[in-house]
Amino acid sequence: KALPWEKPVIDSYGHIAHILSVVMHNEGYESWLYNNFTQLQISSSCNYKNIFLDYFAPRYPWMLCPWLHTTNIATEDFEIYGFDIIQFLTMHLDQNHYLCLTIDMAAIKAYHNNNHSHHALLVYGYDDAEKVFYCADNFQGGYYASAQISFSEMEEAHRNTVLYQIYDITQGIWIWKPVVCKEYSFNLDQ
């Protein structure tokens, strides 16, 4: 089972690319994109030696998305209730929900990274017979792409976020349920 997924027009940051790859097929998507991702900002490092120009984007863009109903399960709650990550992900995918969660990059071959560090991963499908998830992130040399991740890799990647006390960038597991948005139009006041 695989939910609709497209390569997004902005893919520099995984958490932004995830949301865009899920909603691009919706009517009015361009207006929402322009409303939320065209403001520019100049940022500097703490020592002001490095200054860069970037687009300003919300930290959790899915909270502003009219085509998704979002729910969050805190990592602590996930552990307290003893949820099985494979069962949890497949159950939600069967209900046509996308999932975004923090994982340990070292546990997933597609990252080509042996360091225990965090990243937000989008899960948009699975194949029970092959025991793989269909996922998207900045895998290939930092380029946004899809990859198949084995159930065992996912279990280890999720377990390691607790074991190695990896920073939980997504603050739990985000569940995105697609909803119908009748109309979205560009808003100059936003």
Side-chain angles (χ1 to χ4, degrees):
K1 172 174 188 118
L3 302 175
W5 176 87
E6 296 180 49
K7 186 144 175 44
V9 294
I10 298 174
D11 64 4
S12 54
Y13 300 113
H15 70 289
I16 305 248
H18 296 335
I19 193 72
L20 297 179
S21 69
V22 168
V23 301
M24 285 178 58
H25 65 277
N26 288 289
E27 188 176 329
Y29 154 78
E30 290 88 4
S31 293
W32 183 77
L33 175 78
Y34 301 146
N35 244 86
N36 290 281
F37 297 95
T38 56
Q39 300 88 356
L40 297 177
Q41 69 177 0
I42 295 178
S43 301
S44 63
S45 62
C46 294
N47 60 14
Y48 297 100
K49 290 183 181 177
N50 299 318
I51 297 175
F52 60 95
L53 178 67
D54 199 356
Y55 58 89
F56 177 80
R59 174 144 168 83
Y60 299 114
W62 47 86
M63 298 293 287
L64 304 173
C65 182
W67 298 285
L68 295 175
H69 172 76
T70 61
T71 305
N72 180 268
I73 305 242
T75 304
E76 304 82 45
D77 291 346
F78 199 88
E79 298 302 317
I80 289 169
Y81 296 116
F83 293 133
D84 172 87
I85 189 66
I86 305 305
Q87 191 176 29
F88 182 84
L89 296 175
T90 56
M91 176 189 72
H92 279 284
L93 290 163
D94 284 341
Q95 295 175 43
N96 297 320
H97 300 164
Y98 295 85
L99 299 113
C100 183
L101 66 154
T102 298
I103 48 80
D104 174 19
M105 294 169 66
I108 295 177
K109 294 174 193 158
Y111 284 110
H112 305 287
N113 182 338
N114 294 323
N115 298 320
H116 293 287
S117 56
H118 68 270
H119 223 263
L121 178 73
L122 174 69
V123 183
Y124 66 91
Y126 74 99
D127 183 328
D128 208 19
E130 296 291 324
K131 304 278 187 237
V132 295
F133 286 104
Y134 303 122
C135 301
D137 201 5
N138 297 77
F139 295 121
Q140 303 170 351
Y143 294 101
Y144 195 75
S146 63
Q148 292 184 12
I149 295 172
S150 72
F151 283 10
S152 60
E153 285 178 290
M154 184 65 79
E155 284 177 319
E156 182 181 352
H158 182 256
R159 184 178 51 250
N160 286 359
T161 58
V162 175
L163 181 66
Y164 293 106
Q165 297 179 334
I166 292 171
Y167 174 68
D168 189 358
I169 193 169
T170 57
Q171 303 296 306
I173 298 177
W174 284 95
I175 303 161
W176 300 339
K177 177 184 175 184
V179 295
V180 175
C181 173
K182 299 279 186 209
E183 184 178 323
Y184 185 89
S185 55
F186 188 75
N187 180 354
L188 286 173
D189 295 328
Q190 187 172 350

